[in-house]
């Protein structure tokens, strides 16, 4: 991820001091760790959109942080995790950097609008080669509305934190 960040930072069509990172589900842990520990990212250059992960170091973040959580997540205690992160940010004096979007009856994967809701999925475990079922939760209408609302608010969050009054020619969106 650090290599990808550096490539983007040096790309001639990218404003290198204004790059956002997105973490969805498990990838949030990597995004959060990079934001906290990476030497490639200076604190003033960070604008984060992180989903679904709690780390004891979250209070150290010195950048805007957006958490999007579904309260009917059957895979991870996302709402509770978001509240833990809120408490850590408050204790560190960084609560002004945190925005939490929480949606009742929405499931685990609050993706961009119009992605179909999948309440559960099965996959083959790499280690055991057995079929495993993952429950994601969510109700169709509530989850769809959460996707639309979260997308609108995410775009506003990125506009405010990446462009800060600038008139951008294009929006950079990175899903690392």
């Amino acid at each position: 991820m650090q290599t990808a960040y550096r490539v983007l930072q040096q790309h001639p069509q990218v404003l290198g001091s204004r790059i956002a990172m997105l973490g969805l589900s498990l990838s949030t842990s990597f995004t959060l760790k990079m934001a906290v520990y990476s030497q490639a990212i200076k604190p003033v250059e960070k604008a984060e959109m992180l989903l679904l992960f709690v780390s004891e170091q979250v209070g150290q973040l010195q950048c805007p942080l957006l958490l999007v959580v579904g309260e009917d997540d059957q895979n991870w205690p996302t709402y509770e995790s978001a509240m833990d992160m809120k408490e850590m940010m408050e204790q560190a004096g960084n609560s002004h950097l945190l925005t939490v979007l929480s949606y009742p009856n929405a499931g685990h994967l609050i993706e961009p609008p119009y992605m179909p809701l999948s309440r559960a999925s099965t996959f083959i475990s790499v280690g055991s080669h057995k079929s495993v079922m993952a429950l994601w939760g969510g109700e169709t209408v509530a989850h769809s509305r959460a996707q639309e609302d979260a997308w609108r608010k995410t775009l506003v969050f990125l506009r405010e934190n990446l462009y800060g009054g600038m008139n951008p020619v294009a929006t950079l969106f990175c899903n690392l």
Side-chain angles (χ1 to χ4, degrees):
M1 283 180 59
Q2 290 189 59
T3 301
Y5 182 87
R6 285 189 180 114
V7 168
L8 283 173
Q9 195 175 32
Q10 296 171 5
H11 194 282
Q13 294 180 330
V14 173
L15 183 55
S17 64
R18 298 191 182 232
I19 297 174
M21 292 186 294
L22 169 71
L24 179 63
S25 190
L26 180 60
S27 69
T28 299
S29 62
F30 305 116
T31 305
L32 183 57
K33 287 179 182 179
M34 185 171 166
V36 172
Y37 297 114
S38 175
Q39 297 301 313
I41 306 172
K42 297 179 185 130
V44 295
E45 295 178 338
K46 296 178 189 176
E48 301 291 322
M49 177 186 169
L50 304 179
L51 312 173
L52 317 175
F53 183 76
V54 172
S55 168
E56 295 171 7
Q57 292 78 25
V58 73
Q60 297 176 20
L61 286 175
Q62 298 294 314
C63 61
L65 174 64
L66 174 64
L67 299 173
V68 180
V69 298
E71 293 179 20
D72 187 41
D73 189 335
Q74 301 295 306
N75 186 267
W76 189 266
T78 55
Y79 179 77
E80 294 81 0
S81 298
M83 294 304 101
D84 288 346
M85 293 177 80
K86 180 179 179 181
E87 184 178 322
M88 289 180 237
M89 295 288 282
E90 286 171 356
Q91 289 175 356
N94 293 329
S95 61
H96 64 286
L97 296 171
L98 179 63
T99 302
V100 178
L101 303 178
S102 184
Y103 298 97
N105 302 316
H108 181 71
L109 298 171
I110 300 177
E111 299 172 297
Y114 318 116
M115 298 296 292
L117 171 64
S118 178
R119 292 184 47 80
S121 58
T122 58
F123 57 93
I124 303 297
S125 171
V126 175
S128 68
H129 301 287
K130 294 181 181 180
S131 181
V132 178
M133 178 177 279
L135 300 177
W136 307 117
E139 297 173 7
T140 303
V141 173
H143 193 86
S144 296
R145 288 184 178 147
Q147 288 178 322
E148 289 179 347
D149 187 68
W151 185 250
R152 274 192 303 274
K153 290 177 179 173
T154 296
L155 293 177
V156 169
F157 176 84
L158 290 171
R159 201 172 303 119
E160 289 174 355
N161 290 287
L162 289 178
Y163 300 118
M166 294 172 51
N167 188 11
V169 175
T171 300
L172 172 66
F173 179 78
C174 300
N175 186 351
L176 304 175

